[in-house]
Amino acid sequence: MIGQKLLFSGLRTSASRWINRLNEGINGRGQASFSSCSPKVCIVGSGPAGFYTAHHVIKARQDAEVDIYERLPVPFGLVRFGVAPDHPEVKNVINTFTQTAKHSRCNFYGNINVGKDVSVEELQQAYHAVVLSYGAEDNRKMGIPGEDLAGVYSAKDFVGWYNGLPSCQKLNPDLSCDTAVILGQGNVALDVARILLSPINILKKTDITQPALEALEKSQVRRVLIVGRRGPIQIACTIKELREMAKLPGTRPEMLAADFDGITEALKNVPRPRKRLTELLLKTALEVPNEEEQERRSKASRVWAFQFFRSPVEVLASPDKTRTAGIRLAVNRLEGSGERAQAVLTGELEDVPCGLIISSIGYKSTLIDPSVPFDSHKAIVPNINGRVQQVAGLYCSGWLKTGPTGVIATTMNNSFDTAKSLLDDMASGTVDLSASKAGFHSITGLLEKRGVKPVLFSDWEKIDKKILTVQEMLQVVHK
């Protein structure tokens, strides 16, 4: 999610607006005189980008047939596995995606690993157009000594663990330490901090997995530091996430007053949304609370804090070198101002003892098939308005198209723009609809030969109860 901006951690914003826009339908852009051959479109990836793209194509072309391929047996990507379990309203968009999946001209095929079980070239032969929407599934590495020690996790994996992502169920994080350090200050970082510090009676009311709930009930973590390389004006979270953190029962903030020197004066020149966010941060960190808030904080048994102007340089090992015992941070200063301010090392170092480190510095996309152009530096498929460069009939949407940035509304607009490019190409003849394409019917034989059993959407509905391993899911479907 995987961000950060995944990510997706800012998914809370305007949930009803996204659903309303979808349900209102499309305005007809891309509508064309239809050929006698039904356009067959394949979408790789069943997260928000994939479903938004499918929805737009189905609405805009009344003869289009869309097949959605997914590596896991389950759909919905980061909406299912990347959103915090105490944010159920964000997951309401799944209801709209379900409507798309059950549309008469849409099919979901899970448990198909494109690039391994079937190639992109084979999909291109079977479909008039292929849209890659498989997101950013890999972790960005910190690139510092010690980051592979036990006790160091990516936020993507940690979030996947408490959300039931099959590949993360063996994570078993050690929560026996007093202090946890989260690297990154986006919404995902705050989601993780909130889950680590939330009273267990609150977590019990969410759809968090039972193993995670049991582990958090025994957790000894009482202090969470949320570390960023720049300052309060550059913090990457949203105001809703910060407000939730400030009001989290049983916790109190403890921040360094020196980190906020000059911030009030600097706020005169920043945009209003950024100003409101920073003012709330200032109030939370420095303002003397009212009597009720003072009493709440005095009873708090857990502490959280933003630490600014710090960059990780080394994970410190325990005496036996088997696990983390702390993190060494470089102290920064800023050059420039506002969003463009750059963190510059001062030469000063600072060691923070901790037993748990969670890196929340972002996700990145990976190349799944050598036939697809890929910019390894930007970790995206090179494209113009979603059209993959130099490959006719191949498109991309979502984070694979732009990098891991924005919230779900951003992904929706991004995907609609890709769908419009595809529809325009169908209308202009750039995508040749004169040839008949067999779609999934021609892929079925390949999958059978390779021992791959697809999971249909109706199959998925049988396993939609937080079964945690792929093997368990497939046993339910194929028994």
Side-chain angles (χ1 to χ4, degrees):
M1 350 330 35
I2 234 169
Q4 285 312 331
K5 293 171 171 177
L6 185 20
L7 226 272
F8 253 51
S9 309
L11 290 174
R12 291 174 57 90
T13 311
S14 307
S16 60
R17 187 169 70 243
W18 326 322
I19 295 172
N20 288 341
R21 180 172 171 186
L22 282 176
N23 290 337
E24 286 168 3
I26 309 300
N27 64 7
R29 292 182 303 169
Q31 199 86 346
S33 56
F34 300 151
S35 70
S36 58
C37 179
S38 295
K40 288 186 171 55
V41 178
C42 169
I43 295 176
V44 180
S46 69
F51 269 105
Y52 283 134
T53 305
H55 176 89
H56 194 114
V57 171
I58 289 168
K59 284 286 186 180
R61 279 207 67 128
Q62 303 303 314
D63 62 342
E65 298 175 9
V66 177
D67 291 342
I68 301 175
Y69 287 61
E70 168 59 47
R71 177 176 56 86
L72 291 172
V74 298
F76 308 136
L78 284 179
V79 171
R80 179 174 175 84
F81 293 118
V83 175
D86 58 347
H87 285 175
E89 73 286 351
V90 177
K91 299 185 181 183
N92 288 340
V93 75
I94 285 177
N95 297 330
T96 302
F97 294 163
T98 297
Q99 292 176 19
T100 299
K102 291 185 172 183
H103 194 283
S104 61
R105 289 183 283 112
C106 184
N107 293 292
F108 169 81
Y109 298 109
N111 196 44
I112 300 176
N113 192 341
V114 173
K116 180 182 177 183
D117 298 333
V118 61
S119 71
V120 171
E121 288 180 331
E122 287 169 333
L123 292 176
Q124 287 178 288
Q125 291 169 12
Y127 292 87
H128 293 102
V130 175
V131 184
L132 302 175
S133 304
Y134 59 82
E137 296 186 338
D138 204 5
N139 302 308
R140 291 192 181 277
K141 302 286 283 184
M142 292 185 286
I144 62 174
E147 70 176 308
D148 294 323
L149 283 168
V152 182
Y153 306 95
S154 71
K156 173 184 172 292
D157 290 346
F158 196 82
V159 171
W161 167 69
Y162 61 64
N163 271 333
L165 183 64
S167 61
C168 298
Q169 291 318 294
K170 294 182 180 179
L171 203 67
N172 194 26
D174 184 351
L175 306 179
S176 63
C177 60
D178 175 79
T179 299
V181 169
I182 301 173
L183 302 169
Q185 295 179 330
N187 282 337
V188 172
L190 266 67
D191 281 347
V192 171
R194 199 175 61 254
I195 295 300
L196 282 171
L197 295 178
S198 286
I200 204 70
N201 65 312
I202 291 179
L203 293 179
K204 284 180 178 178
K205 298 174 184 177
T206 72
D207 68 349
I208 193 168
T209 63
Q210 189 62 29
L213 183 65
E214 292 171 0
L216 289 164
E217 192 166 16
K218 300 172 186 174
S219 171
Q220 298 301 307
V221 175
R222 295 293 180 268
R223 181 169 174 253
V224 174
L225 305 179
I226 309 164
V227 177
R229 59 190 174 85
R230 298 193 293 170
I233 287 183
Q234 291 79 33
I235 195 168
C237 65
T238 61
I239 194 167
K240 284 188 176 183
E241 296 279 346
L242 177 57
R243 189 177 290 119
E244 278 187 310
M245 200 74 220
K247 294 181 178 179
L248 186 64
T251 72
R252 68 178 183 273
E254 286 185 0
M255 285 178 260
L256 299 173
D259 280 353
F260 297 88
D261 289 347
I263 295 298
T264 302
E265 182 67 22
L267 281 179
K268 296 176 181 178
N269 301 314
V270 301
R272 186 171 180 273
R274 169 65 62 181
K275 183 178 181 181
R276 289 179 61 237
L277 173 63
T278 312
E279 285 175 342
L280 176 59
L281 182 56
L282 278 167
K283 179 180 179 181
T284 303
L286 303 182
E287 193 174 287
V288 177
N290 59 35
E291 187 175 335
E292 182 182 351
E293 178 64 9
Q294 281 183 339
E295 182 179 0
R296 187 188 76 83
R297 292 186 185 186
S298 68
K299 295 178 179 178
S301 61
R302 301 183 180 190
V303 173
W304 64 274
F306 286 111
Q307 285 199 343
F308 298 102
F309 310 111
R310 303 289 189 274
S311 296
V313 293
E314 182 180 357
V315 175
L316 305 175
S318 59
D320 61 4
K321 308 296 182 185
T322 60
R323 60 171 297 105
T324 180
I327 189 161
R328 180 162 293 159
L329 302 173
V331 180
N332 304 325
R333 60 179 175 83
L334 291 189
E335 286 188 356
S337 60
E339 299 291 342
R340 296 185 178 181
Q342 297 295 313
V344 178
L345 298 176
T346 64
E348 184 182 349
L349 296 174
E350 181 177 281
D351 289 352
V352 178
C354 62
L356 176 66
I357 297 171
I358 298 173
S359 172
S360 186
I361 59 174
Y363 302 162
K364 67 176 182 178
S365 298
T366 57
L367 178 63
I368 62 169
D369 191 298
S371 70
V372 178
F374 192 75
D375 184 328
S376 57
H377 178 68
K378 295 180 179 179
I380 62 170
V381 170
N383 69 93
I384 298 175
N385 297 326
R387 297 177 177 93
V388 176
Q389 295 178 29
Q390 301 175 338
V391 186
L394 187 62
Y395 301 82
C396 59
S397 65
W399 285 357
L400 186 63
K401 171 184 173 184
T402 62
T405 183
V407 296
I408 199 167
T410 317
T411 299
M412 179 179 69
N413 291 325
N414 163 322
S415 302
F416 285 0
D417 288 343
T418 291
K420 182 180 183 303
S421 293
L422 168 56
L423 293 162
D424 287 347
D425 289 350
M426 287 180 179
S428 68
T430 303
V431 171
D432 183 10
L433 299 180
S434 63
S436 179
K437 297 280 188 173
F440 186 72
H441 293 296
S442 65
I443 300 298
T444 304
L446 297 175
L447 296 177
E448 286 179 356
K449 290 177 183 177
R450 295 164 189 174
V452 179
K453 295 182 178 180
V455 172
L456 307 182
F457 198 80
S458 57
D459 295 328
W460 140 247
E461 292 179 307
K462 298 176 186 175
I463 59 178
D464 183 20
K465 295 298 177 186
K466 285 288 183 183
I467 296 171
L468 298 182
T469 70
V470 169
Q471 184 178 5
E472 288 175 307
M473 292 174 182
L474 297 178
Q475 284 173 351
V476 170
V477 170
H478 296 135
K479 68 180 180 181

